[in-house]
Amino acid sequence: MRDFTRVLLLSIVLSVATIFGSGCGALASSYRVAADREPTQSLDQNRSDRMLIKRASLHIEVDDVKTVVAMAASIAEEAGGYVENSSSSGNEDASLTMRVPAEELEGVLDRLAALGTETSRYLSTEDVTGEVIDLEATLKNRIALRDRLRTLLERAQNVKDVLLVEEQLTRLQAQIDSMEGRLKSLRGKAKLASLTLYVNRKRILGPLGYLAKGLWWVTTKLFVIR
């Protein structure tokens, strides 16, 4: 019984080692096919609950930067979001990075744009459904392998085998932690969209300013008509 357990234990360890790039290509290939194959239903890339990450940025010009910054923070909070970070240069300009519920993003953008004069707007969507599906399937198999190794570790009698399995368990757990962290990050980004607001104080030109602007316009037309 002890010999059987030892052989089985070492076989599992070798399988793990090959997954981590330790050699034994044939064994690694056969094991990876069995361990990392994703269930057919999990590979449905057309599922309705797609994981989408939305990002946006908005530039506006206002008369009072400080007042608008406070109003923008209130708009984010009313939508169920928050200000992640912000920076400002007195009452000249400011930027705020906000996280708001993805389904509220466009509405929040419109409300923020109404606080001043909109100069530019950018909106993007990244579909990470495939990555999430791959991570979920691989994570499930890694956890199953970890649990199997733990069970065998309890039955191991040889100190050398115990140390070898513990080493592989440590490396396997690190992979599991990394995958779980990545999944948590992706789900969080999909739930709360990222929105960066740039607020600049409107510039009021004096007589010389208008003159310089006119001269610049005339000069550019000398080279390019349209």
Side-chain angles (χ1 to χ4, degrees):
M1 181 66 180
R2 179 181 177 183
D3 291 339
F4 172 79
T5 301
R6 184 178 180 185
V7 170
L8 184 59
L9 180 63
L10 290 177
S11 297
I12 295 294
V13 171
L14 286 174
S15 297
V16 177
T18 53
I19 290 176
F20 291 120
S22 300
C24 299
L27 182 58
S29 298
S30 62
Y31 184 83
R32 189 174 287 107
V33 169
D36 290 342
R37 182 183 292 119
E38 300 170 3
T40 303
Q41 61 270 26
S42 297
L43 290 173
D44 183 9
Q45 296 289 333
N46 297 315
R47 67 185 196 181
S48 59
D49 57 331
R50 303 196 68 78
M51 194 75 70
L52 304 177
I53 295 177
K54 295 182 178 181
R55 301 181 181 88
S57 64
L58 178 69
H59 291 251
I60 60 174
E61 291 184 344
V62 301
D63 294 321
D64 189 337
V65 172
K66 291 183 178 179
T67 299
V68 169
V69 166
M71 295 173 67
S74 296
I75 290 175
E77 292 173 1
E78 290 171 5
Y82 61 92
V83 176
E84 191 171 47
N85 57 66
S86 63
S87 63
S88 64
S89 299
N91 201 39
E92 293 298 315
D93 58 68
S95 65
L96 296 86
T97 299
M98 297 171 276
R99 301 296 299 276
V100 298
E103 63 274 13
E104 301 289 340
L105 179 59
E106 293 187 21
V108 170
L109 278 171
D110 290 338
R111 292 184 64 187
L112 292 174
L115 297 177
T117 301
E118 179 179 340
T119 57
S120 68
R121 179 186 300 209
Y122 172 78
L123 180 63
S124 69
T125 301
E126 179 185 3
D127 190 340
V128 295
T129 308
E131 182 179 356
V132 170
I133 290 174
D134 290 342
L135 279 170
E136 288 175 341
T138 304
L139 178 60
K140 179 180 179 181
N141 291 316
R142 290 292 188 270
I143 290 175
L145 178 57
R146 179 199 62 189
D147 294 343
R148 192 182 313 158
L149 283 174
R150 285 176 174 174
T151 299
L152 289 172
L153 183 61
E154 294 175 357
R155 297 163 54 187
Q157 301 294 325
N158 185 289
V159 175
K160 182 178 179 181
D161 292 346
V162 169
L163 293 176
L164 184 58
V165 175
E166 286 181 341
E167 178 184 354
Q168 300 304 329
L169 273 172
T170 299
R171 299 175 66 181
L172 187 60
Q173 185 61 52
Q175 276 202 345
I176 290 173
D177 292 342
S178 177
M179 292 178 189
E180 289 177 336
R182 178 60 176 167
L183 278 172
K184 182 178 180 180
S185 175
L186 290 173
R187 289 167 178 157
K189 290 178 179 179
K191 183 178 180 180
L192 293 176
S194 176
L195 192 168
T196 302
L197 174 67
Y198 299 94
V199 185
N200 295 293
R201 187 168 67 88
K202 287 182 179 179
R203 300 295 188 264
I204 301 177
L205 299 177
L208 291 179
Y210 280 108
L211 177 61
K213 185 177 181 180
L215 289 174
W216 173 255
W217 182 85
V218 171
T219 302
T220 57
K221 292 303 179 181
L222 292 175
F223 295 94
V224 180
I225 300 299
R226 63 177 181 179

